[in-house]
Amino acid sequence: MAISPPSDLVLDVVKAADPMEVQVAQEKLKASRAAFRATSLTENGDGFSAKVDVLDGATEKTGLDNVKNRARTEEIPETYRKFEAMVLQNFIKNMLPSDSEQVYGKGATGDIWKGMMAEQLGNVISEGDGVGIAKQMYNEALRKKEGAIVNASADQDDRKVAFSMIDEFQRKTFGTPTADAKINNEA
């Protein structure tokens, strides 16, 4: 003779159990269900790592997977590359969207993450051929060493012209009137 307890009896037992223990048991069931789904996705080849592997294969085919593999015609010293990376970091940080709180987070922490992203992008770009800043500065330094660029000394007339240009720029920037405008206003 088989016994089949009615469902009311099972519900009475569940109701009599400690609510905290029931909640812990439900959480364990949810976690094991999620782990099972992840495992089955991985076994079927549909998991996250499979998608990343597809992306990695695509970058290898295009040759974009490693910027250090690129052929360089000349070796540029690391100090020039670091300078170019710093300049690129500032450019990239200004080009990144300002309303990116959903990506980087809010407040100072978001700004730090955004800066770190810009720094890494600048470093990667400068490791390859960059945009030419490091190469141009290095070539100019080589020409200076060879004597192709001579530092000419300025005479007194050149200094007067330079100072007058600086004064004019400051007047325009800070809104101070020129000497001619002061004379015209007084008259």
Side-chain angles (χ1 to χ4, degrees):
M1 177 171 173
I3 299 174
S4 61
S7 61
D8 290 341
L9 183 63
V10 174
L11 287 175
D12 288 340
V13 171
V14 170
K15 287 179 184 177
D18 183 23
M20 294 302 289
E21 290 179 13
V22 171
Q23 187 176 7
V24 169
Q26 288 174 343
E27 293 299 322
K28 286 182 181 179
L29 286 173
K30 287 179 186 176
S32 66
R33 189 178 315 143
F36 173 74
R37 286 183 184 164
T39 305
S40 65
L41 284 174
T42 303
E43 288 172 356
N44 294 336
D46 295 333
F48 180 75
S49 62
K51 300 302 181 195
V52 171
D53 290 341
V54 168
L55 293 174
D56 287 342
T59 56
E60 289 172 4
K61 290 177 186 173
T62 59
L64 299 174
D65 59 334
N66 190 357
V67 292
K68 294 179 181 176
N69 277 349
R70 295 181 186 165
R72 289 192 183 147
T73 55
E74 62 182 318
E75 188 62 33
I76 297 173
E78 187 65 23
T79 53
Y80 294 101
R81 292 206 178 278
K82 285 182 180 180
F83 178 77
E84 183 174 15
M86 182 192 67
V87 171
L88 288 172
Q89 172 187 349
N90 290 329
F91 286 153
I92 292 170
K93 189 173 183 181
N94 289 328
M95 289 189 309
L96 290 173
S98 59
D99 58 341
S100 57
E101 291 179 353
Q102 293 176 345
V103 176
Y104 302 110
K106 295 181 181 179
T109 306
D111 291 339
I112 291 171
W113 281 109
K114 187 176 178 181
M116 290 171 67
M117 174 73 151
E119 179 183 1
Q120 290 302 315
L121 288 171
N123 288 340
V124 168
I125 292 171
S126 69
E127 283 176 9
D129 292 334
V131 294
I133 297 171
K135 184 176 181 179
Q136 183 177 359
M137 290 178 61
Y138 180 61
N139 289 337
E140 189 173 317
L142 289 177
R143 280 185 284 167
K144 277 185 180 179
K145 280 186 178 180
E146 294 171 358
I149 296 178
V150 178
N151 289 332
S153 62
D155 61 358
Q156 196 62 27
D157 292 332
D158 292 336
R159 290 180 189 200
K160 286 180 184 177
V161 170
F163 283 127
S164 68
M165 291 173 71
I166 292 171
D167 288 340
E168 184 65 27
F169 176 75
Q170 287 176 341
R171 285 186 192 112
K172 288 181 181 178
T173 304
F174 299 119
T176 58
T178 60
D180 294 337
K182 287 182 183 177
I183 293 171
N184 291 338
N185 288 340
E186 292 174 359

